[in-house]
Amino acid sequence: MSYLKLSKKIFWCSGFFIFLFWAILLTGCGSGSDNSGTPNANAGDDQEVLTAETASLDGEASTGVETATWTFSSRPTGSAAALVNEDNLTPTFTPDVNGDYVVQLSINSGASTDTVTITASEVQAVVSVPASSAVTTRTRFNTTEYVIDAEDTGGILSAATSQVSALASVAGPKAATVSNYLWEQVEGPNATTTNGSSNETLEFTAPALTDLYNVADHYKWQVFPISRNDAKMVFKLTVTGSNGGTDTTFFTVYLEDDGSELHPASGLPNVAVGETVYLAGPDLKASTANTTTQLEGGPITDWSWTLSVPDGSSATFVDSGTTSSTLQTPKFVPDGAGLYTVSYSSVTGAYAGATAATTVKSPGTLTINAADWVGVGTIGDTTPASPQCATCHDGSVQADKQTG
């Protein structure tokens, strides 16, 4: 082979690989999406935007994209909004009327489609948590939740990031601003507001554990039943704009106890080792009069608890570090299996009557049985051993309740 022919061959091969390199590079960067695999349109998450301000769509999570086309499936009555760059995975449009805009993404000439809803309004109510707030966050089941400790001061929620559109009102164009804030608590134990309910911020003190009491809890000495909703406070923010528009949003804050989640408890005396046991002392007269001559006495205002533990346990009440407590709602953590006995009494709450003038709430006891979890017995394809649940609930003795 001549030198000239060899040079031409090397040149041709080099040019081909350079062309192939740039072709691959440009193809990968063209849309920002995954162009491989089965076509699957993904129009992105639903959004809330301000009317008369640009809304951005995002279909870059789509796969197998060769071509992309966006179209309106529906628009509010009277809207003339138009899509910009509708053949791109990231088009935009400007909503010109309040309401829902449903936009469809079609890839590869209809091989796959998906829709997204953009809700436009003149006002957006937004709640944020400033850095100075006692409200913090935790991650639970891969979800970020906002929390505050019971009785903590300095809880602050802010509406400062709420927005108002410059869209003309019925009175004509004008500078649009927020004209009114309204904060309300619509669910959960009551927080104490410290700066009113019509400011840009809501400042509050978190409720105490006794504020989680339900109606019956005020009359009984008991293991404290706590549901997840008992520890969930829901706040409502309504923002009104000077353009006449309004918007409402809701914000949830959970109560914690010294930085720990308040785990739901049934109030039953059977608990797991290592789980916190809360006790509830009544604050209303906790028993009934025996005779017609006795009248209702005053409320209970003092509480005396004494904890007896099984052999080997060193459990104490958390508040005192001893086996005695005078809190209305004390707590302890069983550190071993066995029976824990809690004695209780009070001096206040006496009856009035000729034969019972000095009678106090009858002292009594609560017995809490702490035990280890036995488990289902099938985790990781293990074989259940007695007394694990699956030894019976495997379909042979009782219905299968541990799989699926």
Side-chain angles (χ1 to χ4, degrees):
M1 182 181 294
S2 70
Y3 175 77
L4 180 60
K5 288 182 178 179
L6 182 61
S7 297
K8 288 182 178 179
K9 195 167 189 175
I10 293 173
F11 175 79
W12 183 89
C13 290
S14 299
F16 173 77
F17 283 112
I18 291 172
F19 168 78
L20 183 62
F21 169 78
W22 281 106
I24 293 172
L25 184 63
L26 290 172
T27 300
C29 297
S31 64
S33 66
D34 181 358
N35 293 76
S36 61
T38 303
N40 182 36
N42 186 330
D45 297 327
D46 293 344
Q47 301 178 45
E48 293 184 1
V49 301
L50 286 176
T51 306
E53 300 200 8
T54 302
S56 299
L57 305 176
D58 185 359
E60 291 193 335
S62 303
T63 59
V65 180
E66 295 177 4
T67 61
T69 303
W70 295 81
T71 54
F72 284 113
S73 296
S74 65
R75 287 175 292 181
T77 302
S79 172
L83 290 159
V84 178
N85 296 324
E86 65 272 20
D87 294 331
N88 192 291
L89 284 172
T90 55
T92 62
F93 75 95
T94 302
D96 54 351
V97 175
N98 297 335
D100 291 337
Y101 296 75
V102 181
V103 194
Q104 177 179 277
L105 168 62
S106 173
I107 63 172
N108 303 353
S109 301
S112 179
T113 61
D114 189 29
T115 60
V116 63
T117 299
I118 310 298
T119 301
S121 60
E122 293 179 70
V123 180
Q124 278 188 322
V126 181
V127 178
S128 61
V129 178
S132 58
S133 177
V135 175
T136 59
T137 60
R138 70 181 178 204
T139 300
R140 185 178 183 276
F141 300 139
N142 297 318
T143 301
T144 298
E145 295 178 337
Y146 290 91
V147 295
I148 188 171
D149 270 355
E151 298 185 78
D152 215 347
T153 59
I156 304 174
L157 302 178
S158 175
T161 52
S162 299
Q163 296 178 291
V164 181
S165 169
L167 188 69
S169 71
V170 292
K174 60 182 177 179
T177 59
V178 174
S179 60
N180 187 59
Y181 302 97
L182 177 62
W183 296 91
E184 302 169 82
Q185 185 178 348
V186 295
E187 187 178 327
N190 292 329
T192 302
T193 303
T194 57
N195 73 328
S197 59
S198 59
N199 297 298
E200 185 179 80
T201 60
L202 175 72
E203 299 177 12
F204 64 92
T205 299
L209 292 179
T210 50
D211 293 321
L212 276 62
Y213 276 29
N214 296 299
V215 174
D217 300 327
H218 291 275
Y219 296 89
K220 294 186 290 188
W221 300 81
Q222 61 182 329
V223 179
F224 193 13
I226 301 174
S227 73
R228 184 159 169 78
N229 284 340
D230 286 335
K232 182 174 75 172
M233 299 178 291
V234 180
F235 298 93
K236 175 182 176 182
L237 169 65
T238 301
V239 173
T240 303
S242 59
N243 55 9
T246 63
D247 189 38
T248 296
T249 190
F250 296 87
F251 194 86
T252 299
V253 179
Y254 290 95
L255 272 182
E256 287 195 328
D257 181 37
D258 294 330
S260 298
E261 181 182 353
L262 276 165
H263 290 285
S266 65
L268 296 176
N270 294 308
V271 300
V273 171
E275 294 291 330
T276 300
V277 177
Y278 290 90
L279 301 169
D283 50 22
L284 298 176
K285 186 180 66 67
S287 62
T288 23
N290 312 353
T291 72
T292 56
T293 61
Q294 293 173 339
L295 305 175
E296 285 195 5
I300 293 175
T301 57
D302 72 294
W303 306 270
S304 177
W305 306 87
T306 303
L307 175 65
S308 298
V309 300
D311 292 341
S313 171
S314 57
T316 60
F317 287 113
V318 173
D319 63 290
S320 64
T322 70
T323 54
S324 297
S325 176
T326 58
L327 292 184
Q328 186 176 1
T329 307
K331 61 186 177 183
F332 71 94
V333 180
D335 55 357
L339 295 178
Y340 294 76
T341 303
V342 181
S343 302
Y344 56 82
S345 64
S346 67
V347 175
T348 53
Y351 294 132
T355 61
T358 59
T359 301
V360 299
K361 172 67 187 77
S362 299
T365 58
L366 298 169
T367 301
I368 293 98
N369 176 44
D372 295 316
W373 292 107
V374 297
V376 170
T378 58
I379 304 300
D381 297 322
T382 58
T383 300
S386 181
Q388 290 181 316
C389 304
T391 53
C392 290
H393 292 280
D394 62 354
S396 58
V397 179
Q398 293 291 328
D400 185 355
K401 296 293 185 183
Q402 86 284 350
T403 59

